[in-house]
Amino acid sequence: MKILEIKVLKGPNYWSVRRTKLIQMKLDLEEKENMPTNKIPGFRERLEQLLPSLYEHRCSVGEPGGFFQRVDEGTWMGHVVEHIALEIQTLAGMDTGFGRTRTPEGEKEGVYYVVFSYMEEDAGVYAAKAAVRIAQALIDGTAYDLSEDIQKMREIREDTRLGPSTGCIVEEAAKRGIPYIRLNKQSLVQLGYGVNQKRIRATIASTTGNIAVDIACDKEETKALLEAAEIPVPRGTVIRTEAGLDEAIEKFGYPLVIKPIDGNHGKGNTTNITNREQAIKAFEAAKAYSRSVIVERFITGYDFRCLVINYKFICAALRTPASVVGDGVHNIQWLIDETNKDPRRGYGHEKVLTQITIDQFTQKMLDDAGITLEHIPAKGERVLLKPTANLSTGGTSTDVTDEVHPANIFMFERIAKIIGLDICGIDVMATDLRTPVAENGGAILEVNAAPGFRMHIEPAEGLPRNVAEPVVDMLFPKGSAGRIPIIAITGTNGKTTTTRLTAHIAKSAGKKVGYTTSDGVYIQNQLMMKGDCTGPISSAFVLKDPTVDFAVLECARGGILKAGLAFQNCEVAVVTNVAADHIGLGGINSVEAMAKVKAVVPETVFPHGYAVLNADDDLVYKMKYDLKCNIALFSMDETNPRIKQHCNDNGLACVYENGYVTIMKGNWKIRVLPARDIPLTYEAKAVHNINNCLPAVLSAYLFRDITIDDIRIGLQTFIPSESLTPGRLNFFHFKNFTMLADFAHNPHGLKLLCDFVSKLDYPAKIGIISGTGDRRDEDIRELGEISATYFDEIIIRCDKNLRGRTADEIIDLLKEGINKVNPSIPVLTIPNEDQALDHIYENHKLGALYTIMCDVVARALDKIKELKVREEKEGVKAPQTI
């Protein structure tokens, strides 16, 4: 078996709109295509022995053991790989269960798409590769150590996933429909889109004051502020030298605590120091983290963490460091191993508790106690194994929220205000919290920015607390979802023009628009990224921009197939049309399959939103039957039966009628503008641009704060040009001839372009055409056929990127199409685009129109502008007579 490619889908995609995190592996079974599972001796037995938990997979049978039943009946190895990939992720602490295995239409025999869900991207990719290795070992009957793969995926999971604190905030936001974007590989996350976004880094929010964090990170300054406010704190001082340490010992006596002044998570802390030797070691340990070191009187009691969010007390937990309790029989090592057998303990953060490991801190504590791992503690004797009570090192927590005295609640909320932290973790050492800390001899040890939430959301004992809820309430009050309106536009042709026009109308209405197109990403009409920007990375760029309050996103086939969409939901989705283009690429081998790809976009529309569909296109119109949102239609023919029925049902539509772009609400008409008064339509000659106006007008109209007047102004001020609509009907008028540059690159688009050209009054119309190498033979031939039908002469050139073919192959296919329609038409071949444009300039015919199918729009336009400058410098060249 051979893996041909692996794609990581991160948003709504071809396989599922709801299950957005999928691995898509293209797998060639090679000779295994002829070896279903029931034809491989002993395969079922070896599979069950290695992965007995596969019994829980119901598969299509619908009951436990269903997958093994399929194996017994005989299923193909791609299906087996899918189930193995899912199960080994589950065994590694990532419980996930969606999968599909399909043979792509038109692919060679034995090639499958194996699709399965994942929780962590890198772990999902690893699972795909490991599943193939495991399946091969089972076929071959060779031993396989599954534990190595499981442990590796656990490590990947811990390295890449959001920590429990950040993760619970993200999950709470997602429950409320608040979208999120992970901004780096650590814990920086954006909640919401555009101008309405907030950010969190672990449990520090964008609302958290920088001064407050700075104070909390300076333990001595924190202590000084609290002491000045009559908050009980341990007596202590800050030192830098051993001499200072000796002075502190003489002043405060033992026991002591020594810790770095700006440390966190207990790093460099040493507690219960009872002699100078211990103090020197503790001083050196703290110096490893900070130049200045705090020496404090050690407060005895229990370690509590109290959490205040938005200056309101939320919860409290008793923290216990990792420890074991002796039984008088077994040694410490045995007790640790036995404790780690607790099913609640796991690797990293995968379970409520973390396994206890033996590290340098453990060894130091044992050394300080004068014992080793072989020591047998007395029955009931507790042996502490870590200096701090962090859950990540094996500590435990017990919720004590309901026991906290009102005076302590008042003090905790006051502390948060004094420091200025809206998310505040307060460390308390006291005998209990049922009595006021100021009266029971306790003290406030530290105030923490970015406090961990795990001890509260998953306590070992007591009631779990949803501490993420008040964080999200603080960031998004009054039920705000932090969203901005999104209009998503897809289709075969017309996407970019429709996107640009829609964005322009929204801008005319006062919106701060971010939009993506096939030539770049724009923020408020400023070009930010050049190139084909119709995929999820470009969409995310717009949604991450904090200045944008309205997004118009062109969503092309390539991005959907490669990674899915960048957003889970949108308010409006437009499908312009579906035609034969890119067929045979990415496993999409028919126009019907392409329609399914395009349908992903309207399937993401909110139930209260609208899918704007082309009623003149059968494949687009059929999408309405699978959608769970409102439907609006557009058509170039108001008598289209689909439009009439839709409007009779009080539906909303936009049509071209009696020369007008008209909105229809039920049977009422709102005439927006005559098409001839819309510059984009070139006095209504560019019929395809009239068609592009319809969904743009309808989409804008769906927003209550965009008026008909806004739409009219937008239509009238959208002037087609190489700057506003690059590669879309860009005219360049030379002194004796004209060039028309357009991005038409498929038969459907070229036909629309030629229909427009046929209405123009020029004595000669010459086409400069090309074919795209990764298209089907019949598509390239059809370009030749259309060109021979409409043009008087043809110049064939080639794209810079031939995409898997030779220049001669493409030229021959174009000529076959030309000769089929008009074998006598003059045809000139100039493969290089720049040379072809130079030829036109040098040999132009008087008054002729040269229609150019652009390859790379920006480069072609730059070349034409260069020729314009050259003409101005040289003067008028003598034209050829026609």
Side-chain angles (χ1 to χ4, degrees):
M1 294 183 289
K2 182 167 67 176
I3 298 174
L4 302 179
E5 69 176 7
I6 294 177
K7 291 180 179 178
V8 180
L9 307 179
K10 303 176 184 179
N13 56 76
Y14 182 79
W15 303 98
S16 176
V17 174
R18 284 193 307 112
R19 298 176 179 90
T20 57
K21 298 172 71 172
L22 298 177
I23 298 294
Q24 176 184 299
M25 174 169 57
K26 191 174 182 180
L27 182 65
D28 187 350
L29 298 187
E30 299 177 314
E31 73 279 0
K32 304 300 186 299
E33 171 66 8
N34 300 315
M35 297 171 64
T37 52
N38 61 343
K39 301 296 184 184
I40 304 173
F43 183 85
R44 153 68 190 268
E45 291 74 16
R46 293 192 292 273
L47 176 62
E48 188 169 10
Q49 183 179 6
L50 184 66
L51 286 163
S53 50
L54 281 172
Y55 178 79
E56 298 301 323
H57 289 218
R58 296 170 175 264
C59 204
S60 57
V61 178
E63 59 185 36
F67 173 63
F68 282 134
Q69 184 177 326
R70 291 289 310 278
V71 172
D72 289 336
E73 294 169 353
T75 189
W76 270 256
M77 206 50 59
H79 184 208
V80 174
V81 167
E82 169 204 323
H83 281 267
I84 292 175
L86 289 170
E87 186 58 24
I88 60 177
Q89 288 184 91
T90 298
L91 293 174
M94 295 167 284
D95 192 1
T96 187
F98 175 81
R100 294 284 184 272
T101 300
R102 299 287 185 269
T103 302
E105 177 189 352
E107 284 285 357
K108 74 170 188 175
E109 188 179 72
V111 173
Y112 292 83
Y113 280 135
V114 179
V115 179
F116 58 88
S117 53
Y118 66 88
M119 294 182 69
E120 299 301 325
E121 175 182 331
D122 291 347
V125 173
Y126 184 94
K129 297 175 181 177
V132 174
R133 293 196 301 267
I134 293 167
Q136 188 64 58
L138 291 169
I139 293 169
D140 298 339
T142 57
Y144 194 92
D145 185 359
L146 190 61
S147 63
E148 289 186 13
D149 286 333
I150 301 303
Q151 180 58 26
K152 181 62 178 178
M153 282 190 287
R154 283 174 171 162
E155 293 170 3
I156 292 172
R157 179 200 69 210
E158 291 304 302
D159 287 343
T160 59
R161 78 170 178 174
L162 292 171
S165 300
T166 313
C168 74
I169 297 173
V170 169
E171 288 173 11
E172 179 66 25
K175 287 177 186 175
R176 304 186 189 192
I178 298 170
Y180 70 92
I181 301 174
R182 189 170 181 176
L183 298 176
N184 63 12
K185 292 186 177 180
Q186 286 75 47
S187 56
L188 183 62
V189 178
Q190 173 183 316
L191 304 177
Y193 290 150
V195 295
N196 295 322
Q197 67 179 270
K198 303 291 184 183
R199 291 181 181 178
I200 57 171
R201 185 196 293 274
T203 58
I204 293 178
S206 50
T207 55
T208 305
N210 183 61
I211 294 176
V213 175
D214 192 54
I215 292 171
C217 289
D218 187 328
K219 292 179 172 56
E220 185 62 18
E221 188 168 358
T222 299
K223 181 180 175 183
L225 286 173
L226 296 182
E227 192 170 20
E230 295 298 323
I231 303 294
V233 295
R235 294 171 59 225
T237 188
V238 176
I239 64 169
R240 289 194 175 188
T241 64
E242 281 193 25
L245 175 62
D246 289 334
E247 291 177 8
I249 291 171
E250 185 172 340
K251 182 177 182 179
F252 301 117
Y254 297 109
L256 294 172
V257 175
I258 296 179
K259 55 189 176 182
I261 196 168
D262 52 3
N264 55 60
H265 300 296
K267 294 176 181 176
N269 291 10
T270 306
T271 61
N272 199 19
I273 297 164
T274 57
N275 58 57
R276 190 175 186 281
E277 182 182 353
Q278 292 176 353
I280 293 295
K281 289 182 180 179
F283 176 67
E284 294 300 328
K287 289 278 283 184
Y289 293 94
S290 175
R291 292 179 61 193
S292 299
V293 172
I294 294 176
V295 181
E296 291 178 343
R297 180 75 180 177
F298 178 61
I299 305 295
T300 58
Y302 294 103
D303 182 356
F304 296 97
R305 165 61 64 82
C306 303
L307 185 65
V308 177
I309 297 173
N310 202 18
Y311 307 108
K312 297 294 183 183
F313 170 74
I314 301 300
C315 57
L318 168 65
R319 302 189 298 178
T320 305
S323 61
V324 292
V325 178
D327 60 4
V329 177
H330 298 95
N331 63 28
I332 293 173
Q333 181 65 68
W334 186 93
L335 293 170
I336 292 173
D337 293 340
E338 198 65 17
T339 300
N340 283 338
K341 291 179 182 178
D342 184 338
R344 296 177 300 167
R345 289 191 183 270
Y347 182 83
H349 295 144
E350 71 180 353
K351 295 184 179 179
V352 174
L353 300 174
T354 298
Q355 291 187 344
I356 301 171
T357 58
I358 299 167
D359 56 17
Q360 60 185 16
F361 299 107
T362 307
Q363 197 61 55
K364 181 178 182 303
M365 295 197 72
L366 296 177
D367 291 344
D368 291 345
I371 58 178
T372 69
L373 291 169
E374 301 304 316
H375 173 71
I376 299 175
K379 186 174 183 179
E381 178 188 353
R382 181 176 293 275
V383 179
L384 295 179
L385 300 170
K386 305 290 180 184
T388 60
N390 293 332
L391 269 66
S392 59
T393 59
T396 62
S397 67
T398 302
D399 179 74
V400 295
T401 303
D402 297 331
E403 301 176 5
V404 181
H405 192 279
N408 290 333
I409 292 174
F410 172 75
M411 179 179 67
F412 299 149
E413 293 178 350
R414 186 164 170 256
I415 288 170
K417 283 282 190 179
I418 290 168
I419 305 302
L421 278 177
D422 56 3
I423 303 176
C424 179
I426 302 167
D427 291 343
V428 185
M429 186 66 73
T431 54
D432 62 67
L433 294 180
R434 291 187 292 271
T435 57
V437 171
E439 298 176 8
N440 64 21
I444 305 303
L445 302 184
E446 290 185 11
V447 177
N448 298 277
F453 284 180
R454 185 183 176 201
M455 69 187 75
H456 306 296
I457 60 178
E458 293 181 331
E461 297 179 34
L463 190 67
R465 305 287 174 170
N466 182 7
V467 296
E469 182 178 30
V471 174
V472 178
D473 286 342
M474 177 181 71
L475 297 176
F476 298 96
K478 299 179 182 178
S480 167
R483 293 183 173 274
I484 60 174
I486 297 175
I487 299 178
I489 299 173
T490 193
T492 301
N493 292 305
K495 299 187 297 298
T496 297
T497 300
T498 303
T499 297
R500 283 181 168 277
L501 178 58
T502 304
H504 183 78
I505 293 171
K507 181 176 177 290
S508 299
K511 305 294 185 184
K512 296 175 180 176
V513 185
Y515 61 97
T516 64
T517 70
S518 58
D519 51 74
V521 176
Y522 296 80
I523 304 296
Q524 299 184 54
N525 268 14
Q526 297 293 313
L527 178 63
M528 297 294 169
M529 295 170 62
K530 281 187 176 182
D532 187 347
C533 296
T534 56
I537 293 175
S538 304
S539 294
F541 183 94
V542 169
L543 299 175
K544 287 189 287 189
D545 193 286
T547 69
V548 170
D549 64 13
F550 199 96
V552 185
L553 307 175
E554 181 178 347
C555 303
R557 158 213 68 92
I560 297 171
L561 290 175
K562 184 177 182 180
L565 297 172
F567 50 89
Q568 300 290 328
N569 297 102
C570 62
E571 279 66 30
V572 176
V574 174
V575 187
T576 58
N577 46 64
V578 178
D581 191 22
H582 298 97
I583 304 301
L585 302 176
I588 305 302
N589 296 302
S590 68
V591 180
E592 289 73 21
M594 184 61 72
K596 183 180 176 183
V597 176
K598 306 292 186 183
V600 170
V601 178
E603 286 171 6
T604 66
V605 176
F606 283 113
H608 64 268
Y610 277 83
V612 177
L613 305 178
N614 186 347
D616 299 333
D617 187 305
D618 293 345
L619 290 172
V620 175
Y621 181 76
K622 286 179 182 177
M623 293 178 187
K624 65 175 287 194
Y625 298 111
D626 295 321
L627 300 179
K628 296 178 175 61
C629 62
N630 298 302
I631 305 296
L633 301 177
F634 65 95
S635 172
M636 290 294 289
D637 179 10
E638 71 164 325
T639 66
N640 182 325
R642 294 166 177 170
I643 293 291
K644 294 175 71 174
Q645 181 61 54
H646 181 69
C647 291
N648 286 338
D649 294 336
N650 205 34
L652 189 63
C654 189
V655 298
Y656 180 49
E657 57 87 25
N658 291 316
Y660 281 85
V661 171
T662 299
I663 295 170
M664 299 187 68
K665 298 178 66 176
N667 291 315
W668 293 96
K669 293 182 179 180
I670 303 173
R671 285 183 168 172
V672 182
L673 274 179
R676 66 177 180 275
D677 292 344
I678 301 173
L680 185 63
T681 71
Y682 291 91
E683 299 180 332
K685 294 175 183 175
V687 176
H688 63 291
N689 273 346
I690 300 175
N691 201 3
N692 291 332
C693 289
L694 303 181
V697 167
L698 191 51
S699 297
Y701 182 74
L702 293 170
F703 293 89
R704 293 181 179 179
D705 53 352
I706 299 179
T707 67
I708 288 293
D709 285 340
D710 293 328
I711 295 171
R712 288 185 179 119
I713 291 170
L715 291 173
Q716 290 172 323
T717 57
F718 189 74
I719 311 297
S721 65
E722 69 273 11
S723 58
L724 193 59
T725 56
R728 275 75 187 173
L729 299 187
N730 298 151
F731 282 90
F732 294 87
H733 298 288
F734 290 77
K735 293 176 181 177
N736 288 321
F737 68 101
T738 299
M739 288 188 183
L740 169 59
D742 196 274
F743 186 56
H745 58 283
N746 57 55
H748 184 260
L750 182 59
K751 178 68 165 57
L752 294 172
L753 173 62
C754 289
D755 284 342
F756 168 63
V757 169
S758 68
K759 298 171 185 175
L760 303 178
D761 186 18
Y762 287 89
K765 297 170 183 176
I766 301 166
I768 295 82
I769 70 169
S770 64
T772 307
D774 58 3
R775 303 307 199 267
R776 299 176 301 176
D777 290 359
E778 55 265 41
D779 296 330
I780 299 175
R781 288 192 193 96
E782 189 175 356
L783 292 174
E785 294 173 17
I786 296 168
S787 300
T789 302
Y790 285 91
F791 294 120
D792 302 314
E793 297 180 23
I794 295 173
I795 297 173
I796 298 176
R797 63 158 192 84
C798 289
D799 292 348
K800 185 175 182 180
N801 183 356
L802 298 177
R803 304 192 188 194
R805 294 186 191 258
T806 66
D808 288 341
E809 287 177 321
I810 296 172
I811 291 167
D812 289 344
L813 288 169
L814 288 170
K815 287 182 176 179
E816 287 178 21
I818 293 168
N819 292 332
K820 179 179 177 182
V821 173
N822 186 357
S824 61
I825 188 172
V827 177
L828 179 64
T829 301
I830 307 175
N832 182 275
E833 183 174 58
D834 283 357
Q835 291 176 4
L837 294 174
D838 283 333
H839 173 82
I840 295 169
Y841 179 80
E842 296 286 350
N843 302 280
H844 60 267
K845 294 187 176 181
L846 182 63
L849 173 66
Y850 292 86
T851 302
I852 304 156
M853 292 176 62
C854 297
D855 172 16
V856 179
V857 170
R859 192 179 68 231
L861 297 184
D862 286 344
K863 177 63 179 178
I864 296 171
K865 291 175 186 176
E866 177 190 310
L867 294 174
K868 285 282 289 179
V869 172
R870 180 178 163 188
E871 182 186 60
E872 290 172 5
K873 289 180 178 179
E874 294 179 350
V876 181
K877 288 187 65 67
Q880 291 185 7
T881 57
I882 299 177

